[in-house]
Amino acid sequence: MRESISLKEIAGICNVSVSTVSKAMNDRSDISAEKKEEIRRVAREMHYVPNYMASVLKSKRTGTIGVLLSGKTGSGLLDEHFVRILNSFRETVEDRGYIVTFLNSGSSPERLSLSEQCRYMKYDGVFVACADFAMQEVQELLGSELPIVTIDHAVSGHLNVASDHYGDMRRMLQFVYDRGHRKIACIHGGPGDVTRERLEAYRSFMKEHMLPIRGEYVYTCPYRDCERGSALTRALLALSDRPTCIMYPDDLTAVGGLHVIREAGLHIPDDLSIVGYDGISAAGMVTPRLTTLRQDTVSMGIQAGNRLIGRIESLETEKRQDTIVIAGMVEAGESVGIVGR
């Protein structure tokens, strides 16, 4: 089998110029649809493969985007929330002619730094889906000239696609409040933009509705830390005046709390109500079905992909911070009862 077929050979078979073949392969409008289809058919039959390096040199872009998916927990691709965003992002950029590859964030001493990998791979841009933003090499990457889009973390000069955590938290609180709950506990995540916005929403809502913010009802729990979440659930159950509803920082932690409540001989939602956050598949797999705040991960991935490509292909020289906020929705399950019923 021959290694490659040239545009000149296709042009000879189709009795056209090389430039006409090039126009057909690049879907130019200044060539008839019939001739374009004929040239493309011949190219397919001859198993023509475009010269990737030549196109890169011509366009000054490689058509590749790096993806960073790591964090303190090391959950990476095991985290369904970020996987959903990543899949939506991948489909979006692939539809526009780009490909994605992962940055190596492992602990090997032989590994290139994140910035070095980007230079070596000649990425057109980077999608930071999840990362420990306190790490020096992550900060170094964010300080580069590459177009970068992040998720739920605003960085000066870069794009950020974020869930409406403040508004979403208030929507969930209103849902719980409308069902008669006044003693609402809040187990929130660790330090960061997401936690700050959710806590602000909790405090402002409680204040506006003249409900006390009780210290024994508010705890910190790292996201998806089921062990600590379960321990905090036991602490809340041990209170003489326990809450009627517990809000968890994510669905996995809420499912862990659900099992603890059951082990204590209590029934959900008759004796105690609980709510999660994220809207992952686990929320619908437990009994009773978990009430949760479903984040719009599909829209987040689409926006991240389109906005990043827009910046890659634009002629902007000034790095501007731009945050796109996407609202989620309360997904009413069966884990929130009506107080007094």
Side-chain angles (χ1 to χ4, degrees), residues 251-289:
D251 292 337
L252 287 179
T253 309
V255 171
L258 180 148
H259 292 306
V260 169
I261 294 167
R262 280 181 173 171
E263 290 170 359
L266 300 174
H267 297 278
I268 300 172
D270 298 333
D271 299 317
L272 184 65
S273 294
I274 64 172
V275 298
Y277 207 106
D278 286 340
I280 64 174
S281 57
M285 295 180 179
V286 294
T287 303
R289 187 163 48 88

Side-chain angles (χ1 to χ4, degrees), residues 70-76 130-135 190-192:
S70 66
K72 294 178 181 179
T73 63
S75 55
C130 178
D132 180 357
F133 290 95
M135 288 182 62

Side-chain angles (χ1 to χ4, degrees), residues 308-327:
L308 180 59
I309 292 175
R311 183 157 291 189
I312 289 170
E313 297 181 351
S314 75
L315 299 178
E316 295 178 6
T317 56
E318 181 184 358
K319 294 176 64 178
R320 296 178 296 102
Q321 180 178 322
D322 188 9
T323 296
I324 302 95
V325 178
I326 298 175

Side-chain angles (χ1 to χ4, degrees), residues 161-210:
V161 176
S163 287
D164 182 15
H165 293 287
Y166 184 89
D168 288 347
M169 188 69 165
R170 287 187 64 94
R171 279 184 277 277
M172 178 59 82
L173 282 160
Q174 189 66 55
F175 179 88
V176 170
Y177 184 87
D178 289 345
R179 279 150 185 76
H181 294 274
R182 301 296 182 265
K183 295 188 289 185
I184 306 169
C186 178
I187 300 178
H188 60 79
D193 293 348
V194 172
T195 297
R196 176 181 52 77
E197 291 183 25
R198 294 186 192 178
L199 264 179
E200 286 179 2
Y202 174 77
R203 289 169 178 151
S204 67
F205 185 93
M206 299 293 280
K207 183 178 180 180
E208 289 170 16
H209 291 78
M210 294 180 289

Side-chain angles (χ1 to χ4, degrees), residues 60-303:
K60 306 300 183 183
R61 291 197 294 265
T62 63
T64 59
I65 294 173
V67 172
L68 177 58
L69 185 63
S70 66
K72 294 178 181 179
T73 63
S75 55
L77 286 170
L78 297 178
D79 190 325
E80 183 182 337
H81 170 70
F82 289 108
V83 168
R84 285 181 171 181
I85 296 174
L86 177 59
N87 282 336
S88 178
F89 174 85
R90 178 187 57 79
E91 290 174 358
T92 300
V93 299
E94 286 182 352
D95 283 346
R96 296 187 60 176
Y98 288 76
I99 59 175
V100 298
T101 62
F102 285 96
L103 285 159
N104 181 354
S105 59
S107 57
S108 170
E110 305 299 323
R111 178 178 67 85
L112 296 175
S113 73
L114 299 175
S115 294
E116 289 171 338
Q117 292 176 56
C118 291
R119 290 193 294 269
Y120 179 79
M121 297 297 294
K122 301 186 186 303
Y123 288 134
D124 293 329
V126 176
F127 175 41
V128 182
C130 178
D132 180 357
F133 290 95
M135 288 182 62
Q136 182 177 347
E137 66 173 316
V138 174
Q139 289 294 317
E140 179 186 348
L141 172 63
L142 296 173
S144 71
E145 294 300 316
L146 272 173
I148 294 174
V149 62
T150 60
I151 294 294
D152 283 328
H153 189 85
V155 180
S156 177
H158 293 300
L159 298 162
N160 172 40
V161 176
S163 287
D164 182 15
H165 293 287
Y166 184 89
D168 288 347
M169 188 69 165
R170 287 187 64 94
R171 279 184 277 277
M172 178 59 82
L173 282 160
Q174 189 66 55
F175 179 88
V176 170
Y177 184 87
D178 289 345
R179 279 150 185 76
H181 294 274
R182 301 296 182 265
K183 295 188 289 185
I184 306 169
C186 178
I187 300 178
H188 60 79
D193 293 348
V194 172
T195 297
R196 176 181 52 77
E197 291 183 25
R198 294 186 192 178
L199 264 179
E200 286 179 2
Y202 174 77
R203 289 169 178 151
S204 67
F205 185 93
M206 299 293 280
K207 183 178 180 180
E208 289 170 16
H209 291 78
M210 294 180 289
L211 300 176
I213 301 175
R214 301 170 55 170
E216 68 271 28
Y217 279 9
V218 182
Y219 288 102
T220 301
C221 176
Y223 292 104
R224 293 167 289 280
D225 188 338
C226 293
E227 183 176 357
R228 179 166 174 77
S230 296
L232 294 176
T233 302
R234 294 187 186 95
L236 289 168
L237 295 182
L239 295 173
S240 58
D241 186 18
R242 69 183 182 222
T244 62
C245 181
I246 303 175
M247 306 186 76
Y248 289 90
D250 57 85
D251 292 337
L252 287 179
T253 309
V255 171
L258 180 148
H259 292 306
V260 169
I261 294 167
R262 280 181 173 171
E263 290 170 359
L266 300 174
H267 297 278
I268 300 172
D270 298 333
D271 299 317
L272 184 65
S273 294
I274 64 172
V275 298
Y277 207 106
D278 286 340
I280 64 174
S281 57
M285 295 180 179
V286 294
T287 303
R289 187 163 48 88
L290 187 64
T291 296
T292 184
L293 194 294
R294 177 175 291 278
Q295 299 186 70
D296 191 352
T297 52
V298 173
S299 292
M300 292 176 74
I302 292 172
Q303 287 282 359

